[in-house]
Amino acid sequence: MKELAIEARDLVKTYPGNVRALDELSFAVAGGTIFGLLGPNGAGKSTTVKVLNTLTRPDSGVARVGGLDVIRQPDAVRHAIGSVAQRSGVDVNASGRENLTLQGRFHGLGGAELKTRVASLLDRFLLTPAADREARTYSGGMQRKLDVAMGLIHRPRVLFLDEPTTGLDPEARSDLWKEITRLAHDDGITVLLTTHYLEEADRLAHRLAIVDRGRVVAEGTPDALKGELSGDAVQIELSETPGDSAVAALLSSVRTVHDVTVTGSTVRARADHGGSAVPAMITALEAGGARVSSVRVTRPSLDDVYLRHTGRTFNEADQA
Amino acid sequence: MTALMHTWFMTVRHLRALMRQPWWIAISLVQPITYLLLYGQVFSRIVELPGFHAPNYVTYVTPGIVIMMALFGGGWNGMGIIAEIDRGVMDRFLVAPVSRAAIIAGRLVQMSIITVVQAAMMLGLGWVLGARFEGGFTGLAVLMLCAVLVALPFGALSNAMALVIRRQESVIGASNFILLPMTFLSPVFMAPTLMPRWVQRVSLVNPVAWSVETARSALSAHADWRLIGTRLVWLAALGLASAWLAARAFRSYQKSI
Ligand SMILES: Nc1ncnc2c1ncn2[C@@H]1O[C@H](COP(=O)(O)OP(=O)(O)O)[C@@H](O)[C@H]1O
Ligand SMILES: [Mg+2]
């Protein structure tokens, strides 16, 4: 394994009103990789990023970025990292070029070097035609690109991207995905990406940590996480149900089925071979007084991983 | 050194943003002109009251309105920082190695520059309307200094309040509540000897009054340099105290992120 670019150990952060945003959260990221923090709204993703980028101090715990301690050497950390917050940090009263130039100056760049760096970033993010317009005239996707460009101006070793594609249209999203992949592959930048899109985590992250209520509940490569779930996901919708616990009891008699969760009319379970388990499941349910209205069998997804580790589906948690 | 450079970068950023707002420019031109014309005309005959020692009311009221505009410019300065927090611009600076002091100082330097430019404009207009100042160049320089020294503490306090309250409505309410009374409880429009006794007493501790009296004295034929010196020191002390408060408010903002 390469040298660790980010290390978070036992981070705790509470906000007034007894909100425990981080509850002994730990993870580590190898240099040059894309690491995803996946979790529903309120899980603590942004708070994690804010601790690592020195914006806020944890109540306890240790965090290092690029080998630097975020609490003891915040200024050195700020020089080493780029950070793009969940909401844009673009100054909309200034042009794209001015935003980039100012950001560069704060990082100690200047003169011809800064000028060419700004021009090349504008080019890279296809912002050159709009470079001298006020950023208030930019589309959401353009502002986001400018945000990322601003985070890269000083060639950081580590880049934080907090929900970079939230609110973008599908085209802008896939543009940004390509760019993020390029950052890690071509430029060797370590990227910590937070997202509440399962697909995004699956597509971009080499490794990911699933965060729930301020804790990491599972960590690994997307494939390994899905592989831990043996078998297929079976989802059965009921039009009549004798009750959650009764349904669970009925299915316990089917031996090839495990990890059963019942919420109202929806039954989720795992089966080694989904196709062959379904007839037995239907028979057991109908015999016990339930009526099946539909059945779906799928390969394991990150949603299933989430369900397995938190007992809730991702959407339920996200809306909560 | 870094702090100074960063302050200048921030100042330029704020100035540039203002220059891009034609409405802001129009209003900040029209407002002082209207005040001068309006107050100059409406109250022009009060110089005939015994106790006024001015050749004409425009001469009397011009430095007063310069100070009033400086006070208001300072008092409203905090509004901008709320907008920057809400837009995420503030946090963007905080994750970069930006000098923390420069974030507030840049706003105050920009405000001081605007204050001086506005003062120069009003003096020109006042001259056209008949204002004459015996104090010459030194007097004008002291007036500018007074204007800046009244804008700075109120600018710092306004930012401090904005950083703690962080709602534009509340800051508007508080500013309205403070700024107008401070103007009228001072000799901006009226000779001190003609104000009710209690107003005279209040104006002893009113920085707006310190600054108007200082400026008028410096602009007159017989400047009272002792008065000018002590009042400038008081204003500077107030500035330092406000800067300290603003720094504390800034830390409380950082803690809340
Ligand atoms: N500045 C703050 N002040 C108070 N509470 C906060 C603050 N930031 C986050 N929280 C709370 O901490 C919890 C985690 O929030 P956050 O880290 O933003 O989650 P996520 O980014 O995963 O959606 C939430 O309950 C949120 O309301
Ligand atoms: Mg968030």
Side-chain angles (χ1 to χ4, degrees):
Chain A
M1 192 147 136
K2 285 187 235 171
E3 167 202 353
L4 288 183
I6 303 173
E7 259 182 285
R9 210 166 340 120
D10 299 330
L11 294 178
V12 175
K13 173 82 187 175
T14 46
Y15 283 110
N18 233 344
V19 178
R20 208 167 167 84
L22 301 183
D23 186 11
E24 304 190 344
L25 181 133
S26 305
F27 65 94
V29 181
T33 63
I34 302 179
F35 190 91
L37 282 182
L38 173 67
N41 273 323
K45 305 181 296 294
S46 294
T47 307
T48 307
V49 170
K50 286 189 279 185
V51 166
L52 295 173
N53 72 13
T54 77
L55 209 46
T56 194
R57 288 171 70 105
D59 303 347
S60 64
V62 191
R64 297 182 151 271
V65 175
L68 302 161
D69 188 307
V70 298
I71 297 165
R72 295 213 197 89
Q73 305 158 279
D75 221 51
V77 171
R78 288 174 198 134
H79 275 103
I81 62 164
S83 190
V84 180
Q86 185 168 349
R87 64 184 172 177
S88 167
V90 166
D91 178 1
V92 293
N93 298 315
S95 72
R97 197 188 303 279
E98 287 163 357
N99 269 291
L100 281 165
T101 306
L102 184 66
Q103 195 70 21
R105 286 199 201 290
F106 286 136
H107 277 100
L109 305 176
E113 184 200 3
L114 177 58
K115 246 190 170 144
T116 46
R117 179 79 184 136
V118 166
S120 80
L121 280 169
L122 286 166
D123 260 350
R124 172 169 186 174
F125 286 91
L126 308 176
L127 290 169
T128 304
D132 297 303
R133 265 174 26 211
E134 275 176 74
R136 70 170 70 252
T137 66
Y138 289 13
S139 70
M142 287 162 77
Q143 278 194 14
R144 212 78 270 248
K145 285 186 194 166
L146 178 56
D147 261 322
V148 178
M150 284 165 73
L152 292 172
I153 188 85
H154 54 298
R155 303 179 194 279
R157 285 178 282 159
V158 178
L159 181 68
F160 296 97
L161 298 172
D162 194 1
E163 302 209 15
T165 67
T166 300
L168 295 189
D169 59 65
E171 199 189 343
R173 174 173 302 162
S174 81
D175 276 0
L176 201 51
W177 281 355
K178 277 185 215 130
E179 203 50 57
I180 293 168
T181 311
R182 232 173 88 189
L183 286 171
H185 286 245
D186 303 355
D187 305 328
I189 295 176
T190 308
V191 179
L192 179 78
L193 167 98
T194 81
T195 182
H196 74 273
Y197 295 120
L198 299 158
E199 189 197 352
E200 186 162 284
D202 213 350
R203 281 273 277 275
L204 292 182
H206 298 120
R207 284 179 75 80
L208 59 90
I210 296 181
V211 185
D212 189 56
R213 300 182 168 130
R215 304 183 70 100
V216 171
V217 292
E219 200 203 315
T221 66
D223 284 340
L225 285 171
K226 285 182 281 188
E228 275 175 20
L229 305 170
S230 46
D232 302 330
V234 180
Q235 183 174 334
I236 298 176
E237 295 294 332
L238 303 175
S239 53
E240 266 174 50
T241 166
D244 290 5
S245 49
V247 170
L250 292 172
L251 289 176
S252 63
S253 65
V254 184
R255 281 206 284 107
T256 54
V257 172
H258 45 93
D259 291 349
V260 177
T261 52
V262 187
T263 40
S265 62
T266 306
V267 180
R268 290 190 184 79
R270 312 211 64 84
D272 300 336
H273 297 285
S276 54
V278 164
M281 290 171 81
I282 295 178
T283 311
L285 287 167
E286 303 250 329
R291 288 277 163 278
V292 173
S293 64
S294 72
V295 177
R296 196 153 54 101
V297 179
T298 45
R299 299 291 308 148
S301 71
L302 284 178
D303 202 0
D304 303 313
V305 177
Y306 186 80
L307 175 68
R308 157 81 175 268
H309 288 283
T310 66
R312 294 174 292 160
T313 69
F314 200 81
N315 279 336
E316 279 163 15
D318 211 25
Q319 257 120 58
Chain B
M1 198 52 210
T2 317
L4 287 182
M5 266 166 57
H6 286 193
T7 300
W8 182 242
F9 298 151
M10 287 292 188
T11 304
V12 171
R13 180 173 78 92
H14 292 306
L15 282 173
R16 222 186 245 147
L18 279 186
M19 292 310 129
R20 294 213 172 106
Q21 296 176 42
W23 277 110
W24 179 86
I25 297 175
I27 289 170
S28 38
L29 283 175
V30 169
Q31 201 180 25
I33 294 174
T34 318
Y35 283 171
L36 257 186
L37 287 173
L38 203 70
Y39 290 118
Q41 293 300 306
V42 170
F43 298 135
S44 63
R45 306 237 357 235
I46 60 173
V47 270
E48 292 164 22
L49 292 169
F52 256 103
H53 307 289
N56 55 47
Y57 190 62
V58 177
T59 303
Y60 186 81
V61 86
T62 301
I65 293 181
V66 166
I67 299 298
M68 180 176 87
M69 293 305 298
L71 170 72
F72 278 67
W76 293 113
N77 193 267
M79 296 294 285
I81 211 164
I82 298 181
E84 299 221 311
I85 291 173
D86 291 346
R87 290 202 199 112
V89 179
M90 171 73 95
D91 290 358
R92 161 68 89 174
F93 288 133
L94 291 178
V95 296
V98 176
S99 148
R100 289 358 196 190
I103 293 176
I104 305 271
R107 310 186 62 81
L108 297 180
V109 173
Q110 175 245 24
M111 173 202 72
S112 304
I113 292 172
I114 302 287
T115 301
V116 168
V117 172
Q118 220 171 25
M121 244 173 47
M122 274 186 280
L123 285 168
L125 182 69
W127 190 83
V128 171
L129 295 174
R132 294 296 178 268
F133 304 107
E134 316 274 342
F137 181 78
T138 320
L140 295 178
V142 172
L143 169 64
M144 298 285 187
L145 185 62
C146 287
V148 170
L149 283 183
V150 93
L152 282 176
F154 285 95
L157 289 175
S158 172
N159 278 294
M161 190 166 66
L163 285 165
V164 174
I165 306 180
R166 248 179 288 158
R167 290 177 49 94
Q168 295 204 329
E169 302 82 359
S170 313
V171 174
I172 291 173
S175 301
N176 268 331
F177 184 72
I178 294 164
L179 298 178
L180 265 184
M182 292 208 67
T183 309
F184 284 98
L185 295 174
S186 82
V188 163
F189 296 110
M190 182 57 80
T193 47
L194 297 177
M195 300 189 299
R197 272 207 97 77
W198 70 270
V199 177
Q200 290 184 33
R201 276 204 209 100
V202 172
S203 81
L204 285 180
V205 293
N206 182 351
V208 181
W210 303 343
S211 130
V212 177
E213 283 164 357
T214 308
R216 284 211 181 105
S217 175
L219 287 166
S220 72
H222 312 286
D224 176 350
W225 287 103
R226 255 184 82 140
L227 175 108
I228 296 170
T230 47
R231 296 296 193 274
L232 288 180
V233 169
W234 293 358
L235 285 169
L238 179 68
L240 287 178
S242 314
W244 176 78
L245 265 177
R248 290 206 48 165
F250 194 78
R251 274 196 289 279
S252 95
Y253 168 74
Q254 284 179 287
K255 279 221 177 94
S256 75
I257 300 173

